[in-house]
Short mmCIF file of all heavy atoms in Angstrom, two decimals:
data_model
loop_
_atom_site.label_atom_id
_atom_site.label_comp_id
_atom_site.label_asym_id
_atom_site.label_seq_id
_atom_site.Cartn_x
_atom_site.Cartn_y
_atom_site.Cartn_z
N MET A 230 -23.10 1.24 -18.50
CA MET A 230 -24.34 0.60 -18.91
C MET A 230 -24.45 0.64 -20.42
O MET A 230 -24.02 1.60 -21.06
CB MET A 230 -25.54 1.28 -18.26
CG MET A 230 -25.57 1.17 -16.75
SD MET A 230 -27.07 1.88 -16.03
CE MET A 230 -26.68 1.76 -14.28
N LEU A 231 -25.06 -0.40 -20.99
CA LEU A 231 -25.24 -0.51 -22.43
C LEU A 231 -26.36 -1.49 -22.70
O LEU A 231 -26.71 -2.30 -21.84
CB LEU A 231 -23.96 -1.01 -23.10
CG LEU A 231 -23.57 -2.49 -22.85
CD1 LEU A 231 -22.69 -2.99 -23.99
CD2 LEU A 231 -22.87 -2.70 -21.52
N ASP A 232 -26.95 -1.41 -23.87
CA ASP A 232 -27.89 -2.43 -24.32
C ASP A 232 -27.10 -3.38 -25.21
O ASP A 232 -26.94 -3.16 -26.40
CB ASP A 232 -29.04 -1.78 -25.09
CG ASP A 232 -30.10 -2.79 -25.50
OD1 ASP A 232 -29.90 -4.00 -25.28
OD2 ASP A 232 -31.12 -2.36 -26.07
N MET A 233 -26.61 -4.45 -24.62
CA MET A 233 -25.66 -5.32 -25.33
C MET A 233 -26.34 -6.17 -26.40
O MET A 233 -25.69 -6.59 -27.35
CB MET A 233 -24.93 -6.22 -24.34
CG MET A 233 -25.78 -7.29 -23.71
SD MET A 233 -24.80 -8.37 -22.64
CE MET A 233 -25.97 -9.70 -22.34
N ASP A 234 -27.65 -6.43 -26.23
CA ASP A 234 -28.32 -7.38 -27.13
C ASP A 234 -29.52 -6.79 -27.85
O ASP A 234 -30.28 -7.51 -28.47
CB ASP A 234 -28.74 -8.63 -26.35
CG ASP A 234 -29.46 -8.29 -25.05
OD1 ASP A 234 -29.77 -7.10 -24.83
OD2 ASP A 234 -29.70 -9.21 -24.25
N GLY A 235 -29.70 -5.47 -27.75
CA GLY A 235 -30.75 -4.81 -28.50
C GLY A 235 -32.16 -5.11 -28.05
O GLY A 235 -33.11 -4.97 -28.83
N ASP A 236 -32.32 -5.49 -26.77
CA ASP A 236 -33.67 -5.83 -26.29
C ASP A 236 -34.36 -4.67 -25.62
O ASP A 236 -35.46 -4.82 -25.08
CB ASP A 236 -33.62 -7.04 -25.35
CG ASP A 236 -32.83 -6.77 -24.08
OD1 ASP A 236 -32.24 -5.67 -23.95
OD2 ASP A 236 -32.79 -7.66 -23.21
N GLY A 237 -33.73 -3.49 -25.62
CA GLY A 237 -34.39 -2.29 -25.11
C GLY A 237 -34.20 -2.02 -23.64
O GLY A 237 -34.79 -1.06 -23.12
N ASP A 238 -33.39 -2.81 -22.93
CA ASP A 238 -33.08 -2.47 -21.54
C ASP A 238 -31.57 -2.44 -21.34
O ASP A 238 -30.80 -2.90 -22.18
CB ASP A 238 -33.77 -3.41 -20.54
CG ASP A 238 -33.49 -4.88 -20.81
OD1 ASP A 238 -32.39 -5.20 -21.30
OD2 ASP A 238 -34.36 -5.72 -20.51
N LEU A 239 -31.16 -1.88 -20.21
CA LEU A 239 -29.75 -1.62 -19.98
C LEU A 239 -29.07 -2.74 -19.22
O LEU A 239 -29.51 -3.13 -18.12
CB LEU A 239 -29.57 -0.30 -19.21
CG LEU A 239 -29.94 0.96 -19.97
CD1 LEU A 239 -29.75 2.18 -19.07
CD2 LEU A 239 -29.10 1.11 -21.24
N ASP A 240 -28.00 -3.26 -19.81
CA ASP A 240 -27.13 -4.23 -19.17
C ASP A 240 -25.95 -3.48 -18.55
O ASP A 240 -25.78 -2.27 -18.76
CB ASP A 240 -26.67 -5.25 -20.21
CG ASP A 240 -27.84 -5.77 -21.04
OD1 ASP A 240 -28.73 -6.41 -20.47
OD2 ASP A 240 -27.89 -5.47 -22.26
N ILE A 241 -25.13 -4.17 -17.78
CA ILE A 241 -24.07 -3.49 -17.02
C ILE A 241 -22.73 -4.20 -17.23
O ILE A 241 -22.61 -5.41 -16.98
CB ILE A 241 -24.41 -3.44 -15.52
CG1 ILE A 241 -25.78 -2.77 -15.30
CG2 ILE A 241 -23.33 -2.69 -14.75
CD1 ILE A 241 -26.26 -2.81 -13.87
N TYR A 242 -21.73 -3.42 -17.68
CA TYR A 242 -20.36 -3.93 -17.78
C TYR A 242 -19.59 -3.46 -16.56
O TYR A 242 -19.54 -2.25 -16.27
CB TYR A 242 -19.67 -3.45 -19.05
CG TYR A 242 -18.32 -4.09 -19.26
CD1 TYR A 242 -18.18 -5.25 -20.01
CD2 TYR A 242 -17.17 -3.54 -18.69
CE1 TYR A 242 -16.95 -5.86 -20.18
CE2 TYR A 242 -15.93 -4.14 -18.86
CZ TYR A 242 -15.82 -5.30 -19.60
OH TYR A 242 -14.59 -5.91 -19.77
N VAL A 243 -18.95 -4.38 -15.86
CA VAL A 243 -18.25 -4.09 -14.61
C VAL A 243 -16.77 -4.44 -14.78
O VAL A 243 -16.43 -5.61 -14.92
CB VAL A 243 -18.86 -4.90 -13.45
CG1 VAL A 243 -18.16 -4.57 -12.14
CG2 VAL A 243 -20.36 -4.62 -13.34
N ALA A 244 -15.92 -3.43 -14.80
CA ALA A 244 -14.48 -3.69 -14.86
C ALA A 244 -13.97 -4.02 -13.46
O ALA A 244 -14.41 -3.44 -12.47
CB ALA A 244 -13.74 -2.48 -15.42
N ASN A 245 -13.03 -4.94 -13.40
CA ASN A 245 -12.40 -5.32 -12.14
C ASN A 245 -10.89 -5.08 -12.23
O ASN A 245 -10.29 -5.20 -13.30
CB ASN A 245 -12.68 -6.79 -11.82
CG ASN A 245 -14.16 -7.05 -11.60
OD1 ASN A 245 -14.81 -6.36 -10.84
ND2 ASN A 245 -14.70 -8.05 -12.30
N TYR A 246 -10.29 -4.75 -11.09
CA TYR A 246 -8.90 -4.26 -11.10
C TYR A 246 -7.91 -5.37 -10.73
O TYR A 246 -7.22 -5.90 -11.60
CB TYR A 246 -8.79 -3.07 -10.16
CG TYR A 246 -7.47 -2.34 -10.24
CD1 TYR A 246 -6.81 -2.15 -11.46
CD2 TYR A 246 -6.87 -1.83 -9.10
CE1 TYR A 246 -5.61 -1.46 -11.53
CE2 TYR A 246 -5.66 -1.13 -9.16
CZ TYR A 246 -5.03 -0.96 -10.37
OH TYR A 246 -3.85 -0.27 -10.44
N ILE A 247 -7.85 -5.72 -9.45
CA ILE A 247 -6.87 -6.70 -8.98
C ILE A 247 -7.55 -7.70 -8.05
O ILE A 247 -8.61 -7.44 -7.50
CB ILE A 247 -5.71 -6.02 -8.21
CG1 ILE A 247 -6.25 -5.21 -7.02
CG2 ILE A 247 -4.89 -5.15 -9.15
CD1 ILE A 247 -5.18 -4.61 -6.14
N VAL A 248 -6.92 -8.86 -7.89
CA VAL A 248 -7.31 -9.80 -6.84
C VAL A 248 -6.52 -9.39 -5.60
O VAL A 248 -5.31 -9.62 -5.52
CB VAL A 248 -7.01 -11.25 -7.24
CG1 VAL A 248 -7.40 -12.19 -6.10
CG2 VAL A 248 -7.75 -11.62 -8.52
N PHE A 249 -7.22 -8.76 -4.68
CA PHE A 249 -6.54 -8.14 -3.53
C PHE A 249 -6.72 -8.97 -2.27
O PHE A 249 -7.79 -9.51 -2.00
CB PHE A 249 -7.09 -6.74 -3.30
CG PHE A 249 -6.47 -6.04 -2.12
CD1 PHE A 249 -5.17 -5.54 -2.20
CD2 PHE A 249 -7.17 -5.87 -0.94
CE1 PHE A 249 -4.58 -4.91 -1.11
CE2 PHE A 249 -6.60 -5.23 0.14
CZ PHE A 249 -5.31 -4.75 0.06
N ASP A 250 -5.63 -9.04 -1.50
CA ASP A 250 -5.65 -9.70 -0.20
C ASP A 250 -4.70 -8.92 0.70
O ASP A 250 -3.56 -8.65 0.32
CB ASP A 250 -5.21 -11.16 -0.34
CG ASP A 250 -5.37 -11.95 0.95
OD1 ASP A 250 -5.01 -11.44 2.02
OD2 ASP A 250 -5.85 -13.09 0.88
N TYR A 251 -5.16 -8.55 1.89
CA TYR A 251 -4.32 -7.77 2.80
C TYR A 251 -3.01 -8.48 3.11
O TYR A 251 -1.97 -7.85 3.33
CB TYR A 251 -5.06 -7.52 4.11
CG TYR A 251 -6.16 -6.50 4.01
CD1 TYR A 251 -7.49 -6.88 4.13
CD2 TYR A 251 -5.87 -5.15 3.82
CE1 TYR A 251 -8.50 -5.95 4.05
CE2 TYR A 251 -6.88 -4.21 3.74
CZ TYR A 251 -8.20 -4.61 3.85
OH TYR A 251 -9.20 -3.68 3.78
N ASP A 252 -3.04 -9.80 3.13
CA ASP A 252 -1.86 -10.57 3.54
C ASP A 252 -1.09 -11.15 2.36
O ASP A 252 -0.21 -11.98 2.54
CB ASP A 252 -2.31 -11.71 4.47
CG ASP A 252 -3.02 -11.20 5.70
OD1 ASP A 252 -2.58 -10.17 6.25
OD2 ASP A 252 -4.04 -11.81 6.09
N LEU A 253 -1.43 -10.71 1.15
CA LEU A 253 -0.82 -11.29 -0.03
C LEU A 253 0.67 -10.98 -0.13
O LEU A 253 1.46 -11.79 -0.58
CB LEU A 253 -1.54 -10.80 -1.29
CG LEU A 253 -1.06 -11.37 -2.62
CD1 LEU A 253 -1.31 -12.87 -2.67
CD2 LEU A 253 -1.76 -10.69 -3.79
N ARG A 254 1.06 -9.77 0.31
CA ARG A 254 2.44 -9.34 0.10
C ARG A 254 2.80 -8.27 1.11
O ARG A 254 1.95 -7.61 1.69
CB ARG A 254 2.63 -8.78 -1.30
CG ARG A 254 1.50 -7.90 -1.78
CD ARG A 254 1.87 -7.11 -3.00
NE ARG A 254 2.84 -6.08 -2.68
CZ ARG A 254 2.50 -4.91 -2.13
NH1 ARG A 254 1.25 -4.61 -1.88
NH2 ARG A 254 3.43 -4.03 -1.84
N GLU A 255 4.10 -8.11 1.31
CA GLU A 255 4.60 -7.04 2.17
C GLU A 255 4.50 -5.70 1.44
O GLU A 255 4.47 -5.66 0.20
CB GLU A 255 6.07 -7.31 2.54
CG GLU A 255 6.27 -8.53 3.42
CD GLU A 255 5.64 -8.39 4.78
OE1 GLU A 255 5.72 -7.28 5.34
OE2 GLU A 255 5.04 -9.36 5.26
N PRO A 256 4.45 -4.58 2.18
CA PRO A 256 4.41 -3.28 1.53
C PRO A 256 5.62 -3.05 0.62
O PRO A 256 6.74 -3.50 0.93
CB PRO A 256 4.41 -2.30 2.71
CG PRO A 256 3.88 -3.09 3.86
CD PRO A 256 4.36 -4.49 3.64
N SER A 257 5.40 -2.39 -0.51
CA SER A 257 6.49 -2.06 -1.42
C SER A 257 7.30 -0.90 -0.87
O SER A 257 6.77 -0.02 -0.17
CB SER A 257 5.93 -1.69 -2.80
OG SER A 257 5.25 -2.78 -3.37
N LYS A 258 8.57 -0.87 -1.21
CA LYS A 258 9.44 0.22 -0.76
C LYS A 258 10.27 0.75 -1.91
O LYS A 258 10.64 0.00 -2.82
CB LYS A 258 10.35 -0.25 0.38
CG LYS A 258 9.63 -0.54 1.68
CD LYS A 258 10.60 -0.84 2.81
CE LYS A 258 9.85 -1.05 4.12
NZ LYS A 258 10.80 -1.32 5.23
N PHE A 259 10.55 2.05 -1.87
CA PHE A 259 11.43 2.68 -2.84
C PHE A 259 12.25 3.72 -2.10
O PHE A 259 11.71 4.59 -1.41
CB PHE A 259 10.63 3.34 -3.96
CG PHE A 259 11.49 3.94 -5.05
CD1 PHE A 259 12.06 3.13 -6.02
CD2 PHE A 259 11.74 5.29 -5.09
CE1 PHE A 259 12.87 3.66 -7.01
CE2 PHE A 259 12.54 5.84 -6.07
CZ PHE A 259 13.11 5.02 -7.04
N GLN A 260 13.58 3.61 -2.20
CA GLN A 260 14.50 4.50 -1.49
C GLN A 260 14.17 4.56 -0.01
O GLN A 260 14.21 5.61 0.63
CB GLN A 260 14.49 5.90 -2.10
CG GLN A 260 15.02 5.94 -3.53
CD GLN A 260 15.14 7.35 -4.07
OE1 GLN A 260 14.91 8.33 -3.37
NE2 GLN A 260 15.51 7.46 -5.34
N GLY A 261 13.80 3.41 0.54
CA GLY A 261 13.51 3.31 1.96
C GLY A 261 12.14 3.79 2.35
O GLY A 261 11.78 3.72 3.54
N LYS A 262 11.34 4.25 1.42
CA LYS A 262 9.99 4.74 1.71
C LYS A 262 8.96 3.69 1.32
O LYS A 262 9.08 3.03 0.28
CB LYS A 262 9.70 6.03 0.93
CG LYS A 262 10.75 7.13 1.10
CD LYS A 262 10.74 7.71 2.50
CE LYS A 262 11.73 8.86 2.61
NZ LYS A 262 11.75 9.44 3.98
N VAL A 263 7.93 3.55 2.14
CA VAL A 263 6.83 2.67 1.80
C VAL A 263 5.98 3.34 0.73
O VAL A 263 5.56 4.49 0.89
CB VAL A 263 5.97 2.34 3.04
CG1 VAL A 263 4.77 1.48 2.63
CG2 VAL A 263 6.80 1.60 4.08
N VAL A 264 5.73 2.64 -0.38
CA VAL A 264 4.98 3.20 -1.50
C VAL A 264 3.90 2.21 -1.93
O VAL A 264 3.85 1.07 -1.46
CB VAL A 264 5.91 3.51 -2.70
CG1 VAL A 264 6.93 4.58 -2.34
CG2 VAL A 264 6.62 2.24 -3.19
N TYR A 265 3.06 2.66 -2.82
CA TYR A 265 2.03 1.79 -3.37
C TYR A 265 2.63 0.88 -4.44
O TYR A 265 3.20 1.35 -5.42
CB TYR A 265 0.90 2.61 -3.99
CG TYR A 265 0.10 3.40 -2.98
CD1 TYR A 265 0.29 4.78 -2.84
CD2 TYR A 265 -0.83 2.77 -2.17
CE1 TYR A 265 -0.44 5.50 -1.91
CE2 TYR A 265 -1.56 3.49 -1.24
CZ TYR A 265 -1.36 4.85 -1.11
OH TYR A 265 -2.09 5.57 -0.19
N GLY A 266 2.50 -0.41 -4.26
CA GLY A 266 2.95 -1.34 -5.29
C GLY A 266 2.01 -1.33 -6.48
O GLY A 266 0.80 -1.10 -6.34
N GLY A 267 2.55 -1.55 -7.66
CA GLY A 267 1.75 -1.51 -8.88
C GLY A 267 0.84 -2.72 -9.02
O GLY A 267 0.97 -3.72 -8.30
N PRO A 268 -0.09 -2.68 -9.97
CA PRO A 268 -1.06 -3.77 -10.12
C PRO A 268 -0.44 -5.09 -10.54
O PRO A 268 -1.01 -6.15 -10.28
CB PRO A 268 -2.00 -3.24 -11.21
CG PRO A 268 -1.19 -2.25 -11.98
CD PRO A 268 -0.30 -1.60 -10.95
N VAL A 269 0.72 -5.04 -11.21
CA VAL A 269 1.32 -6.29 -11.68
C VAL A 269 1.79 -7.18 -10.54
O VAL A 269 2.15 -8.33 -10.76
CB VAL A 269 2.48 -5.99 -12.65
CG1 VAL A 269 1.97 -5.30 -13.90
CG2 VAL A 269 3.56 -5.17 -11.98
N LEU A 270 1.78 -6.66 -9.32
CA LEU A 270 2.11 -7.48 -8.16
C LEU A 270 0.94 -8.37 -7.73
O LEU A 270 1.11 -9.24 -6.88
CB LEU A 270 2.52 -6.59 -6.99
CG LEU A 270 3.77 -5.73 -7.20
CD1 LEU A 270 3.98 -4.81 -6.02
CD2 LEU A 270 5.00 -6.61 -7.41
N TYR A 271 -0.22 -8.16 -8.34
CA TYR A 271 -1.43 -8.89 -7.97
C TYR A 271 -1.96 -9.64 -9.18
O TYR A 271 -1.78 -9.21 -10.31
CB TYR A 271 -2.51 -7.93 -7.48
CG TYR A 271 -2.12 -7.10 -6.29
CD1 TYR A 271 -1.46 -5.88 -6.46
CD2 TYR A 271 -2.43 -7.51 -4.99
CE1 TYR A 271 -1.11 -5.10 -5.38
CE2 TYR A 271 -2.08 -6.73 -3.91
CZ TYR A 271 -1.42 -5.53 -4.09
OH TYR A 271 -1.08 -4.75 -3.02
N PRO A 272 -2.68 -10.74 -8.95
CA PRO A 272 -3.36 -11.40 -10.09
C PRO A 272 -4.41 -10.47 -10.69
O PRO A 272 -5.02 -9.66 -9.99
CB PRO A 272 -4.01 -12.63 -9.44
CG PRO A 272 -3.28 -12.85 -8.15
CD PRO A 272 -2.84 -11.49 -7.69
N ALA A 273 -4.61 -10.59 -11.99
CA ALA A 273 -5.67 -9.84 -12.66
C ALA A 273 -7.01 -10.55 -12.44
O ALA A 273 -7.06 -11.76 -12.27
CB ALA A 273 -5.36 -9.70 -14.14
#
């Protein structure tokens, strides 16, 4: 929260991570193990 325009009340900045879809991609694997794929596999 911040007062972005100096009007005396609190505005809200909301960060967003990835555009997620359950069916967007198959699970990532490393050395035969299912692992979490990094964010670059998804649109920002």
Side-chain angles (χ1 to χ4, degrees):
M230 296 184 186
L231 71 156
D232 184 355
M233 70 176 192
D234 48 8
D236 64 355
D238 54 32
L239 291 179
D240 313 296
I241 304 174
Y242 187 92
V243 181
N245 296 310
Y246 189 38
I247 58 175
V248 179
F249 178 74
D250 187 315
Y251 287 111
D252 302 319
L253 183 64
R254 41 166 290 279
E255 293 296 320
S257 297
K258 291 187 177 181
F259 183 79
Q260 295 186 5
K262 308 291 184 181
V263 176
V264 296
Y265 293 103
V269 296
L270 297 175
Y271 301 87

